[in-house]
Amino acid sequence: MANAMRDVAIVGVAESDLGRVPDKSKFQLSAEASRLALDDAGLSVKDVDGLFTTIITEGGQFSSMMMAEYMGITPRFTDSTSIGGSSFVAYVEHAAMAIATGLCDVALICHGSTNISDRGGKGGPMSASTDVFGPSQFEEPYGVSTVGSYALAAQRHMHEYGTTSEQLAEIAVATRKWASMNPKARMRDPITIDDVMNSRVIASPLHLLDCCLVTDAGGAVVLTSLERARDLKKTPVQVLGTGEAHTHRMISQMPDLTQTAAAISGKLAFERSGLTHSDIDVAQIYDSFTITVLLTLESLGFCAKGEGGAFVSNQRTAPGGDFPMNTQGGALSYTHPGMFGIFTVIEGVRQVRGECGPRQVPNAQVALCNGTGGVLSSTGTIILGRD
Amino acid sequence: MALPPLPRPYQDTAAYWEAAKDHRFIIQKCKECGEFQFYPRGVCSHCLSSDLDWQEASGKAEIYSCSVNYRAPHPGFADATPFVLAIVTLEEGPRMMTNIIGCDPESVKIGMAVSVVFEDVTDEVTLPKFTPV
């Protein structure tokens, strides 16, 4: 299996309009990103025979059927796996498997969301339902939220390992530096550790600037066999290794608040690729919150458990640092439409192709992308390399 | 004032919420493998046995993690901030989400001993919450 997956390549990537796009539906954003990604590959929508998508908000029921109909696609492989923001990284594994086994030839992964416009242009809570059915009735009545859940993990990590808010702030500051070099990034003005520390506390210990943006956005990724990829427009980007896992749905059920499923999915991706941590030239680590990054770096094994704070210190992940990470500006500063996973893949591919302009990591041959979904619940890890 | 999100009891959970209304805190223990579990389910999450027993829990717990929340996650919490969102480890072993009440939110720390108290939110719904011992 591991070898078969290497015969699959990513051949097209694209974003739609990003930021505040009140005049376009989430379906249109997804479809426009798909058209651009197919153009990037030199393929057409008529070539697509595998579709991978999920929409977790209103109108997203039966997502892959709905989007296939919207775009006039009749897939013979269809996947609406819904594990949160990591779904789109996991789809790379699923698509690679489907292509490697001949179940489809051209796979389209797409995503669209009007996460900010759906809220009337303001951040903050979406649901006002007072009737909770299912297991979440053991959390929602207590005021659980996404940021509250991640705050619980951050607090526990601080308790166990002495991690500080300043160390978490290092991640936000470094990510903003990358964003300043990306014209598509929403937040491009430099920030300091003091700025993060002085921003208001949303849920202790997380400050406003520890949290991702809320935006509208679409993205798409196209895969096909490596053999076919070599005849297409762009340098093929090989899928060298993949992994996925989930450990819980609700934060109160997380087995260990300081370790994510990336400990499983990352290990699988490294094993299947035959690569080691020192082979990774650039990392795209889902940054819904600063703590997400810190836990993921530890869980992936880039440093020992508890050493994440020291690892990210002294702007190690910033431009010029020895661990270039989230080079498009991440969910913290570039875009975050509720599920960010597809954007880790898009930037990983662009870095490996060498088309990132001022923010290009010199000679980036191998990229690792890690998506996190739910409340630190699910992960997908992929390792990509230039053909 | 807007109501907070409230549980709609279902097959797995009706007995739990009914007991809470009577200010009793009960959890499930598997008759086959002997493990406790929280939240209530129709089967044991350790062995999938359907042979489950409800037991009165001690109501004693330790804070596993906590966070002072300054932003209301829902209109029903608009007048409730700041509040302490917490995960506690019950004496019987399982963890559950709760709020820590009856104290200064900023004083709540991981590792603190807490015990169950009952908050009657409406005539129909009572939430088990915890307070420092």
Side-chain angles (χ1 to χ4, degrees):
Chain A
M1 178 61 87
N3 285 339
M5 302 283 260
R6 295 189 88 134
D7 294 333
V8 175
I10 298 178
V11 293
V13 296
E15 306 117 316
S16 69
D17 295 341
L18 307 174
R20 286 171 197 262
V21 195
D23 299 335
K24 291 186 180 182
S25 71
K26 57 191 127 190
F27 317 112
Q28 184 179 359
L29 293 177
S30 186
E32 288 186 348
S34 297
R35 167 68 191 268
L36 293 170
L38 288 162
D39 286 349
D40 188 48
L43 291 166
S44 108
V45 69
K46 302 296 176 209
D47 296 306
V48 176
D49 61 358
L51 184 64
F52 304 73
T53 194
T54 184
I55 298 171
I56 55 171
T57 51
E58 190 179 17
Q61 296 84 1
F62 304 114
S63 297
S64 65
M65 280 197 286
M66 203 272 304
M67 281 310 302
E69 180 180 275
Y70 195 89
M71 295 189 284
I73 296 169
T74 306
R76 57 191 176 108
F77 193 96
T78 183
D79 183 356
S80 286
T81 297
S82 181
I83 53 171
S86 63
S87 301
F88 306 87
V89 185
Y91 290 154
V92 173
E93 172 170 293
H94 302 183
M97 178 182 66
I99 292 165
T101 53
L103 298 180
C104 72
D105 185 35
V106 173
L108 170 63
I109 302 170
C110 60
H111 179 213
S113 162
T114 42
N115 203 27
I116 189 73
S117 294
D118 289 352
R119 300 166 199 245
K122 292 181 292 192
M126 230 160 150
S127 167
S129 166
T130 57
D131 182 33
V132 189
F133 178 74
S136 59
Q137 66 186 231
F138 292 92
E139 290 203 340
E140 286 185 36
Y142 297 106
V144 74
S145 58
T146 306
V147 61
S149 298
Y150 282 77
L152 289 167
Q155 200 76 273
R156 185 70 200 180
H157 199 274
M158 289 179 169
H159 174 80
E160 285 192 31
Y161 300 112
T163 306
T164 65
S165 288
E166 287 84 351
Q167 289 172 330
L168 291 178
E170 292 266 6
I171 296 166
V173 172
T175 306
R176 183 62 63 86
K177 289 178 186 166
W178 286 110
S180 74
M181 295 189 283
N182 180 3
K184 291 179 182 169
R186 181 151 185 84
M187 306 295 274
R188 303 184 59 202
D189 294 336
I191 53 171
T192 64
I193 288 176
D194 279 347
D195 289 336
V196 182
M197 300 293 292
N198 292 330
S199 64
R200 70 177 192 275
V201 177
I202 306 293
S204 65
L206 297 180
H207 302 78
L208 178 67
L209 292 179
D210 286 301
C211 305
C212 63
L213 310 174
V214 180
T215 71
D216 304 329
V221 172
V222 180
L223 299 93
T224 191
S225 65
L226 185 58
E227 189 185 359
R228 185 166 180 185
R230 287 177 175 146
D231 296 329
L232 296 176
K233 263 165 75 176
K234 294 279 182 77
T235 306
V237 174
Q238 265 181 282
V239 180
L240 300 177
T242 64
E244 65 180 72
H246 49 81
T247 51
H248 60 283
R249 168 64 190 97
M250 303 194 294
I251 196 72
S252 63
Q253 304 296 308
M254 187 167 176
D256 176 348
L257 280 178
T258 65
Q259 180 168 297
T260 81
I264 303 167
S265 64
K267 188 165 182 284
L268 289 169
F270 276 112
E271 279 171 5
R272 290 166 180 168
S273 68
L275 298 175
T276 65
H277 294 81
S278 60
D279 294 315
I280 305 300
D281 298 315
V282 59
Q284 309 297 338
I285 306 293
Y286 199 107
D287 55 342
S288 45
F289 299 91
T290 51
I291 187 64
T292 319
V293 174
L294 192 138
L295 295 181
T296 303
L297 290 172
E298 291 181 6
S299 298
L300 287 171
F302 283 106
C303 59
K305 206 174 169 191
E307 291 177 6
F311 185 85
V312 300
S313 290
N314 302 313
Q315 291 298 286
R316 186 180 196 161
T317 68
D322 66 7
F323 193 84
M325 181 186 82
N326 299 352
T327 49
Q328 83 288 62
L332 291 168
S333 290
Y334 151 70
T335 203
H336 187 60
M339 295 191 287
F340 182 70
I342 201 160
F343 302 99
T344 69
V345 180
I346 292 168
E347 181 70 2
V349 167
R350 287 177 173 159
Q351 283 288 347
V352 167
R353 285 175 175 174
E355 54 187 25
C356 286
R359 68 177 193 276
Q360 178 64 45
V361 173
N363 198 28
Q365 301 275 342
V366 179
L368 180 145
C369 309
N370 189 91
T372 303
V375 281
L376 295 162
S377 313
S378 66
T379 57
T381 311
I382 59 172
I383 299 174
L384 305 175
R386 197 182 307 169
D387 176 29
Chain B
M1 195 190 112
L3 277 176
L6 295 172
R8 168 156 46 111
Y10 57 101
Q11 293 89 337
D12 296 353
T13 69
Y16 175 86
W17 293 117
E18 201 54 41
K21 233 160 80 171
D22 297 337
H23 291 201
R24 291 188 305 118
F25 182 53
I26 59 172
I27 61 171
Q28 290 175 314
K29 186 177 187 185
C30 178
K31 287 189 188 169
E32 256 184 73
C33 75
E35 296 277 356
F36 284 99
Q37 73 179 0
F38 195 92
Y39 51 93
R41 297 160 167 94
V43 299
C44 171
S45 57
H46 300 275
C47 74
L48 290 192
S49 168
S50 301
D51 200 5
L52 297 164
D53 209 14
W54 287 103
Q55 294 206 352
E56 205 88 24
S58 74
K60 293 178 186 160
E62 183 184 299
I63 296 177
Y64 174 60
S65 194
C66 55
S67 168
V68 185
N69 284 223
Y70 294 91
R71 193 175 69 178
H74 181 282
F77 291 90
D79 298 328
T81 58
F83 64 91
V84 181
L85 185 70
I87 299 172
V88 297
T89 308
L90 302 175
E91 191 174 52
E92 291 79 9
R95 293 203 184 114
M96 70 178 281
M97 179 160 285
T98 191
N99 298 130
I100 309 299
I101 61 172
C103 60
D104 172 14
E106 311 280 353
S107 71
V108 176
K109 300 282 179 251
I110 289 173
M112 279 173 71
V114 292
S115 65
V116 73
V117 288
F118 295 93
E119 191 169 285
D120 300 321
V121 186
T122 67
D123 288 347
E124 288 306 309
V125 177
T126 295
L127 293 179
K129 296 193 172 183
F130 285 78
T131 194
V133 177

